[in-house]
Amino acid sequence: MYTRTCSKLSKLSTNEIEQFLNSFDTVLTDCDGVLWLDNIVIDKANLVMNKLRDCGKKIFYITNNSTKLREEFVKKSTKLGFNCVKDEVISTSYLVADYLKNIGFNKKVYIVGSTGVSQELDLVGIKHTGVGPDVQTSIPNLLQTTQLDPDVGAVVVGFDEHISFPKLFKAGSYLKDPNCLFVATNTDEQFPSNTNFVVPGTGVAVAAVQTCAGRQPIVVGKPYTYICNALIKEYGIDPKHILLGTRCGFQTMLVLTGVTTLDEVLQWKESKKVEENELVPDVYLDKLGDLLQYLN
Amino acid sequence: MYTRTCSKLSKLSTNEIEQFLNSFDTVLTDCDGVLWLDNIVIDKANLVMNKLRDCGKKIFYITNNSTKLREEFVKKSTKLGFNCVKDEVISTSYLVADYLKNIGFNKKVYIVGSTGVSQELDLVGIKHTGVGPDVQTSIPNLLQTTQLDPDVGAVVVGFDEHISFPKLFKAGSYLKDPNCLFVATNTDEQFPSNTNFVVPGTGVAVAAVQTCAGRQPIVVGKPYTYICNALIKEYGIDPKHILLGTRCGFQTMLVLTGVTTLDEVLQWKESKKVEENELVPDVYLDKLGDLLQYLN
């Protein structure tokens, strides 16, 4: 019924909707464009999420944003009327720290990123080289004075508004050692923006580092599968019973308040490319708030 | 005889060598790794180039380096014993200026690069926004205070040791306009370096800008074909009579003092990939200086 046919939920029968709502026990939701835009809740999205939670669904707020601690996300979503605790937030800086902890990483991390990454590492007791500006610019000077820290065993790239030549120089130099891990929070090219400007996303720093390092990073964020596998393993979630996140075999529901348009979906549906077919959601809604009526 | 068989020149007969030397009237040469390493001439390379010039061959020194004016390259090569004038130097900053002049570009250029680019643009009378540090870092502040210059009609990316978030923000924003040209000097990932460090090359800035812009640049440097077409058109050179630069149908001679090893060449020769076969030189030498004996 709701398998890759991309039905509009409101067009299904009451029976079908009930069957759909009973088919999952876990909800993974994107934040920006689904729940809120900047600091404004998208119509009734908070009521829907709270209702799903009250119905006993397990909720995960998933964000590629690597600049905040999970605590800070809880504050923001609480302020916007979402009932939410830290364990329900999966941010990419948290995932990086969790990943390094899980593999028993006991060296130091060189960070191209922000306090979101450094503080999540602090919370799991992993050492790092700190964050912030690094603008020493003469190359002869860099070559002469840079001392690579022999304890560094990983380079983590997240969002860094202080990206600079010395940082790329150091990241690339650490990654020359094939044993040095290379981890990226996410690869989003741009931030969503309704201005005339292009606000470069984390993917820009990742592209820069991988170009000079000649290596590909492990990416923990969406749409890579690491994030799903982490959830499946750590929380014992059965992917068949999850809503959202198609690359891992989850059911997916699209809301049209984000970057994806229905036209794009219809193109993907007709496409001969598997990777585009995979993007077609099981069901869609104009906005998350439209789900509310079916939850009462 | 010397067609993609990758013969060692010294193994050929006197006749064959003479035939080879008469087969071209123009020599395009790479600089770093062929003529010099940093500030040291590679054994007799200057004598060979001067001799070829004396024999009446047309010489072009080709460099992807975009940080210097052609005048400055002349100074460097003269100091190292190469007889050389400005018109024999083809640098990527010169090529960018030449390209924009030729297409009748009459707007302003936003530069991610150095004075090499800005000064070559000055020489052909093309306006630009200047070079140097731009480190205003708060994103809200950038969004609030940035005024895009409506006269900008091109973004040029070269080597920039002052690469920064505001520069990527502005480059990406200008490139949002599909009519804004996107030109890169070259895409080298790293500078050649015999240290433990990785010195990021221009390709790193290019990767960063193209990631946030979601567009590919025109690249004027090696190994792209623009540079060859420019030479063929502007100097009336017949590609069949040129030595070096295989992508354009030139004859190629490899010297082993650069980044390429003979092992690599032998792999390319056996490869089933056309793009690797294309890299196989017609002849090779341990070093350019070995050619000297055949020129006397």
Side-chain angles (χ1 to χ4, degrees):
Chain A
M1 158 196 83
Y2 43 82
T3 52
R4 295 294 138 89
T5 53
C6 192
S7 328
K8 186 158 192 177
L9 198 69
S10 54
K11 299 264 170 73
L12 301 179
S13 70
T14 319
N15 236 346
E16 286 172 323
I17 293 173
E18 204 183 314
Q19 204 182 323
F20 169 71
L21 291 171
N22 289 331
S23 67
F24 58 87
D25 53 26
T26 301
V27 178
L28 313 188
T29 181
D30 213 333
C31 299
D32 256 311
V34 175
L35 306 182
W36 56 68
L37 280 169
D38 281 321
N39 285 303
I40 298 161
V41 180
I42 295 171
D43 184 43
K44 299 195 195 79
N46 47 0
L47 304 183
V48 168
M49 292 310 294
N50 294 347
K51 190 80 192 177
L52 285 165
R53 198 171 186 253
D54 292 345
C55 294
K57 308 289 189 194
K58 211 170 171 66
I59 308 288
F60 290 102
Y61 296 91
I62 314 282
T63 172
N64 270 357
N65 190 322
S66 66
T67 66
K68 292 191 180 76
L69 280 172
R70 289 197 293 166
E71 297 286 14
E72 296 172 83
F73 284 109
V74 171
K75 259 188 218 161
K76 176 177 180 168
S77 37
T78 305
K79 209 192 240 172
L80 296 179
F82 294 86
N83 300 333
C84 163
V85 298
K86 198 176 81 174
D87 281 347
E88 290 167 331
V89 176
I90 311 285
S91 70
T92 49
S93 43
Y94 162 73
L95 277 176
V96 165
D98 187 62
Y99 167 71
L100 291 174
K101 190 188 71 182
N102 283 341
I103 63 170
F105 181 80
N106 58 6
K107 298 193 82 182
K108 207 186 258 185
V109 174
Y110 179 74
I111 303 174
V112 178
S114 71
T115 51
V117 173
S118 62
Q119 293 177 350
E120 288 287 0
L121 290 175
D122 289 338
L123 288 175
V124 295
I126 290 177
K127 283 174 289 182
H128 56 80
T129 56
V131 294
D134 181 358
V135 289
Q136 173 192 31
T137 50
S138 133
I139 297 174
N141 198 29
L142 267 178
L143 287 166
Q144 232 165 353
T145 63
T146 303
Q147 301 239 334
L148 294 180
D149 184 335
D151 286 344
V152 166
V155 170
V156 169
V157 181
F159 180 74
D160 190 343
E161 61 183 9
H162 300 293
I163 188 169
S164 67
F165 192 82
K167 288 194 177 190
L168 297 171
F169 173 87
K170 289 170 191 170
S173 297
Y174 283 122
L175 290 169
K176 205 169 175 178
D177 176 356
N179 294 317
C180 184
L181 298 174
F182 183 14
V183 187
T185 57
N186 61 301
T187 58
D188 299 55
E189 292 90 354
Q190 300 180 358
F191 275 85
S193 166
N194 47 11
T195 68
N196 282 327
F197 299 113
V198 164
V199 183
T202 306
V204 171
V206 174
V209 174
Q210 78 185 22
T211 299
C212 67
R215 290 172 55 181
Q216 302 290 318
I218 298 159
V219 184
V220 298
K222 294 171 286 177
Y224 296 85
T225 51
Y226 174 81
I227 195 168
C228 311
N229 296 335
L231 283 164
I232 293 165
K233 260 193 220 159
E234 293 198 26
Y235 297 90
I237 293 171
D238 179 347
K240 272 181 263 151
H241 296 159
I242 303 183
L243 183 64
L244 293 188
T246 187
R247 281 211 190 179
C248 311
F250 300 157
Q251 294 181 59
T252 54
M253 180 173 73
L254 171 70
V255 292
L256 297 174
T257 49
V259 289
T260 305
T261 64
L262 194 56
D263 276 352
E264 283 176 294
V265 172
L266 296 176
Q267 273 177 31
W268 295 335
K269 209 177 150 183
E270 299 305 317
S271 170
K272 288 194 171 67
K273 295 180 188 159
V274 176
E275 65 272 23
E276 292 193 346
N277 293 155
E278 275 181 4
L279 296 171
V280 178
D282 298 311
V283 292
Y284 77 93
L285 283 173
D286 289 332
K287 56 183 195 294
L288 189 61
D290 293 348
L291 197 62
L292 192 63
Q293 54 185 309
Y294 309 112
L295 296 171
N296 287 317
Chain B
M1 156 197 86
Y2 44 81
T3 52
R4 295 291 139 87
T5 53
C6 193
S7 328
K8 188 159 190 175
L9 198 69
S10 55
K11 299 265 170 70
L12 300 178
S13 71
T14 319
N15 238 347
E16 287 172 322
I17 291 173
E18 207 184 311
Q19 202 184 322
F20 169 72
L21 290 171
N22 289 331
S23 68
F24 56 88
D25 53 23
T26 302
V27 177
L28 312 188
T29 181
D30 213 333
C31 300
D32 256 311
V34 175
L35 307 182
W36 56 67
L37 280 169
D38 281 320
N39 286 302
I40 299 160
V41 180
I42 294 170
D43 185 43
K44 300 196 194 73
N46 47 0
L47 305 182
V48 168
M49 292 310 294
N50 295 346
K51 191 80 189 174
L52 285 165
R53 200 171 185 253
D54 292 345
C55 295
K57 308 288 190 196
K58 210 170 170 66
I59 308 287
F60 290 101
Y61 295 91
I62 313 281
T63 172
N64 271 356
N65 191 321
S66 66
T67 66
K68 291 190 182 75
L69 279 173
R70 289 196 293 164
E71 299 284 14
E72 297 172 84
F73 285 110
V74 172
K75 259 188 218 160
K76 177 175 182 170
S77 37
T78 305
K79 209 191 237 171
L80 296 178
F82 294 86
N83 300 334
C84 163
V85 297
K86 199 177 80 174
D87 280 348
E88 292 168 333
V89 175
I90 311 283
S91 69
T92 49
S93 42
Y94 163 73
L95 277 177
V96 164
D98 189 61
Y99 167 72
L100 291 174
K101 191 189 69 183
N102 283 341
I103 62 169
F105 181 80
N106 58 6
K107 298 194 80 182
K108 207 185 257 185
V109 174
Y110 180 76
I111 303 174
V112 179
S114 71
T115 51
V117 173
S118 62
Q119 293 175 351
E120 289 286 1
L121 289 175
D122 289 338
L123 288 175
V124 295
I126 290 177
K127 284 174 287 179
H128 55 79
T129 56
V131 296
D134 182 358
V135 291
Q136 173 193 29
T137 51
S138 133
I139 295 173
N141 199 30
L142 267 178
L143 287 167
Q144 231 165 353
T145 63
T146 303
Q147 301 239 333
L148 295 180
D149 184 337
D151 285 343
V152 166
V155 170
V156 169
V157 181
F159 180 73
D160 191 342
E161 61 183 11
H162 299 294
I163 188 169
S164 67
F165 192 81
K167 288 193 178 193
L168 298 171
F169 172 87
K170 288 170 192 171
S173 297
Y174 282 122
L175 291 169
K176 204 170 175 178
D177 176 356
N179 294 318
C180 184
L181 298 174
F182 182 15
V183 187
T185 58
N186 62 300
T187 57
D188 299 56
E189 292 89 355
Q190 299 180 359
F191 275 85
S193 166
N194 47 12
T195 67
N196 282 327
F197 299 113
V198 164
V199 183
T202 306
V204 172
V206 175
V209 174
Q210 78 185 22
T211 299
C212 67
R215 290 173 55 181
Q216 302 289 318
I218 297 159
V219 184
V220 298
K222 295 171 290 180
Y224 296 85
T225 52
Y226 174 80
I227 195 167
C228 312
N229 297 335
L231 284 164
I232 293 166
K233 260 194 223 159
E234 294 199 26
Y235 298 90
I237 294 171
D238 179 348
K240 272 181 260 147
H241 297 157
I242 304 184
L243 183 66
L244 290 188
T246 188
R247 280 211 190 180
C248 311
F250 301 156
Q251 293 181 58
T252 53
M253 180 174 71
L254 171 71
V255 293
L256 296 174
T257 50
V259 290
T260 305
T261 64
L262 194 56
D263 277 351
E264 283 176 294
V265 173
L266 296 175
Q267 274 177 32
W268 294 333
K269 209 176 148 181
E270 299 305 317
S271 171
K272 287 192 174 65
K273 294 180 190 160
V274 177
E275 65 273 23
E276 292 194 347
N277 294 155
E278 276 182 1
L279 296 171
V280 178
D282 298 312
V283 293
Y284 77 93
L285 285 171
D286 289 333
K287 56 182 193 295
L288 189 61
D290 292 349
L291 198 61
L292 192 62
Q293 54 184 310
Y294 309 113
L295 296 172
N296 288 318

